Amino acid sequence: MRTSRIAQETSKISQAMLPSKPSSRSETRSFAQSLSAFAAAGAPVTATPAIPRDDDSSSLSSSTSSIDIEDYPPPPPSRKRKRGINTPSTVVSSVSVSTRNSPRKGGVKAEDGNTEGEVKKAGRVKRQPAKQVVNDEGEVEIHPPAHWEEVYEAVREMRKRVLAPVDTMGCESLADEGLSVRDQRFQTLIALMLSSQTKDTTTAATIHALQSALPSPGLTLANILAVDPPTLNTLIYAVGFHNNKTRYIKATAEILHERFGDDIPDTVAGLMSLPGVGPKMAYLCLSAAWGRTEGIGVDVHVHRITNLWGWHKTRGPEETRLALQAWLPRERWHEINHLLVGFGQTICAPVGRRCGECTLAERGLCPSAVVERKRVVRRRVKGEVGGGEGRELVKREEGVVVKEEEVLADGEVEEEVMVKVEAEPSI
């Protein structure tokens, strides 16, 4: 192992100064520690020639007194600049920081007690879907999801404040009241067939076009049987899948004329036997046209929103319908479709949900809510500007604006912090 030149010279000096009589262990250890400190500090080590004396004790005293630890300069100061209350501070105009904080890690507390970098999650209910429970008699009972009644009533109140397209242009309200009841039922069925994969505004406009473009009295079974497919396809061109719906409507008109006495079926099975009519249309048509509610009409809004609430975990509308009918009171079967469709059109939209306007997110009742909150943290920072005797005490107000975006689900949260510091006039 190579030895540095300073260490070699230090060893020679220590050997030269050692007395003939061995020193005590404590003295040797203290002397070695001093020499090590000198070598570590990078100080040059030089020997002062000892003045010969008659006795060895005087020589040792003279040699050791010539090397004093206070005679050497202290180690060089650290290059890191210390910032304190008396150090001039720099005014930061604006700083933009983007961090990703774990929900389990806290931030640094400001002077007013607020925490920077800490995301506060609103208290939310966990996903507690409906459960199958076996009672004492061995029968299977379905226990509804937790807090479902509170959620249902909150949605009712929100729906009263906002008018949705389904409220004025839903399939139930598009029939011409000036026609016979049978013709009104037929128009309700046609409106439901056109509404698939189509917005309510487009469906309403198309129904009005059929009512006005077809010969008097308008949209009736006889006129649908008489119109040619290209003309009908042109009239319903605005709806989704208009080519398929043209074929379905023409075939349905012939079936109603031949098998159901120019009227629509009054059973779910009869309605589902018509081309292009599924369970959702059948239950909605039976409820709207015949006034009988035998099931829940589940569309994409009902399926999506109830899964967001954690009422169940289903893969399609039909599975959702069976899950809801297992525990939802029967008196709510008719209104839940109209209620949730309007809620999905105004607040809980498929794209761009307005969770900031939703009462469920505010109360922590929706486990899928996305909440955006803003809070302002203000601190008083004191510092001295200037140097020497002309130092002035300046008060600065540091405003920290924190924009938090909470994804109220498991995972990390991203927050954006913008800091602006401005110096006030000196006092």
Side-chain angles (χ1 to χ4, degrees):
M1 184 176 65
R2 299 180 61 183
T3 308
S4 64
R5 187 180 62 183
I6 296 177
Q8 293 177 359
E9 294 178 357
T10 304
S11 177
K12 291 179 182 180
I13 294 173
S14 61
Q15 292 293 337
M17 291 188 301
L18 287 176
S20 59
K21 183 180 179 180
S23 304
S24 62
R25 181 175 299 179
S26 61
E27 294 178 354
T28 305
R29 185 180 301 171
S30 176
F31 184 71
Q33 291 177 354
S34 300
L35 291 178
S36 299
F38 299 160
V45 181
T46 56
T48 303
I51 300 175
R53 297 288 180 91
D54 296 338
D55 53 346
D56 295 336
S57 61
S58 62
S59 176
L60 178 61
S61 175
S62 174
S63 301
T64 55
S65 62
S66 62
I67 302 177
D68 193 346
I69 191 171
E70 296 182 358
D71 294 339
Y72 291 90
S78 176
R79 294 184 178 181
K80 295 183 178 180
R81 183 173 56 183
K82 297 182 180 180
R83 295 182 178 274
I85 191 171
N86 297 325
T87 306
S89 56
T90 303
V91 177
V92 182
S93 59
S94 64
V95 179
S96 178
V97 182
S98 177
T99 58
R100 294 184 65 86
N101 295 333
S102 172
R104 293 185 292 270
K105 294 182 180 180
V108 180
K109 290 188 176 181
E111 295 181 0
D112 58 353
N114 293 319
T115 304
E116 298 178 19
E118 179 183 2
V119 177
K120 298 181 180 179
K121 286 191 174 183
R124 294 173 296 146
V125 295
K126 296 181 179 179
R127 295 178 182 268
Q128 300 179 7
K131 297 180 180 180
Q132 294 184 357
V133 180
V134 180
N135 57 17
D136 298 337
E137 299 178 357
E139 299 177 353
V140 179
E141 297 179 352
I142 306 297
H143 288 193
H147 309 287
W148 76 269
E149 290 181 307
E150 188 176 356
V151 171
Y152 200 92
E153 294 302 324
V155 173
R156 270 182 174 174
E157 294 298 323
M158 285 186 285
R159 289 282 283 109
K160 293 178 182 178
R161 299 195 298 263
V162 181
L163 189 66
V166 71
D167 297 331
T168 57
M169 291 174 282
C171 296
E172 299 180 2
S173 60
L174 297 179
D176 187 358
E177 297 180 355
L179 300 180
S180 63
V181 178
R182 184 177 63 178
D183 291 335
Q184 292 183 34
R185 288 196 292 262
F186 177 74
Q187 290 190 4
T188 300
L189 174 62
I190 298 300
L192 285 168
M193 295 179 68
L194 294 176
S195 66
S196 177
Q197 303 294 320
T198 306
K199 294 182 178 181
D200 287 338
T201 53
T202 306
T203 302
T206 304
I207 290 293
H208 292 322
L210 289 172
Q211 291 171 346
S212 60
L214 292 175
S216 180
L219 180 56
T220 60
L221 178 62
N223 285 335
I224 293 296
L225 289 171
V227 69
D228 58 283
T231 303
L232 179 61
N233 191 16
T234 303
L235 292 174
I236 67 171
Y237 183 80
V239 302
F241 304 98
H242 56 88
N243 293 324
N244 293 336
K245 292 176 181 179
T246 298
R247 295 196 303 268
Y248 294 156
I249 291 174
K250 290 292 291 184
T252 296
E254 294 177 0
I255 294 174
L256 296 180
H257 176 67
E258 296 174 359
R259 294 173 48 188
F260 295 98
D262 294 337
D263 202 352
I264 67 172
D266 59 351
T267 62
V268 173
L271 289 169
M272 291 180 62
S273 66
L274 302 175
V277 178
K280 180 201 77 171
M281 295 184 192
Y283 286 111
L284 290 177
C285 186
L286 188 67
S287 179
W290 293 101
R292 298 206 316 268
T293 302
E294 297 182 1
I296 301 175
V298 176
D299 65 347
V300 291
H301 288 290
V302 180
H303 169 68
R304 176 179 57 86
I305 293 174
T306 53
N307 275 274
L308 286 176
W309 289 343
W311 284 5
H312 39 247
K313 190 176 182 180
T314 54
R315 293 170 291 182
E318 183 61 17
E319 189 176 347
T320 301
R321 180 184 69 83
L322 297 175
L324 286 173
Q325 291 179 178
W327 59 268
L328 188 67
R330 196 178 185 90
E331 61 269 14
R332 301 177 190 252
W333 287 9
H334 174 72
E335 70 171 351
I336 188 172
N337 179 272
H338 186 270
L339 188 73
L340 296 190
V341 168
F343 182 65
Q345 291 175 343
T346 55
I347 296 179
C348 193
V351 179
R353 303 199 304 268
R354 301 178 181 178
C355 298
E357 304 175 8
C358 182
T359 307
L360 302 180
E362 181 181 352
R363 298 180 183 176
L365 295 174
C366 180
S368 303
V370 180
V371 180
E372 183 177 292
R373 298 183 303 170
K374 294 182 180 179
R375 63 187 176 94
V376 177
V377 182
R378 297 191 181 276
R379 297 183 301 176
R380 291 285 183 177
V381 180
K382 294 182 179 180
E384 290 186 358
V385 179
E389 299 180 355
R391 292 183 178 180
E392 297 180 356
L393 183 62
V394 177
K395 291 184 180 180
R396 297 184 304 163
E397 181 175 342
E398 182 179 10
V400 182
V401 181
V402 181
K403 179 182 179 182
E404 297 177 351
E405 182 177 358
E406 291 190 354
V407 179
L408 298 184
D410 295 336
E412 295 182 341
V413 182
E414 183 176 354
E415 66 175 7
E416 181 182 354
V417 182
M418 295 178 293
V419 182
K420 186 175 182 181
V421 182
E422 296 180 356
E424 296 180 354
S426 58
I427 300 176

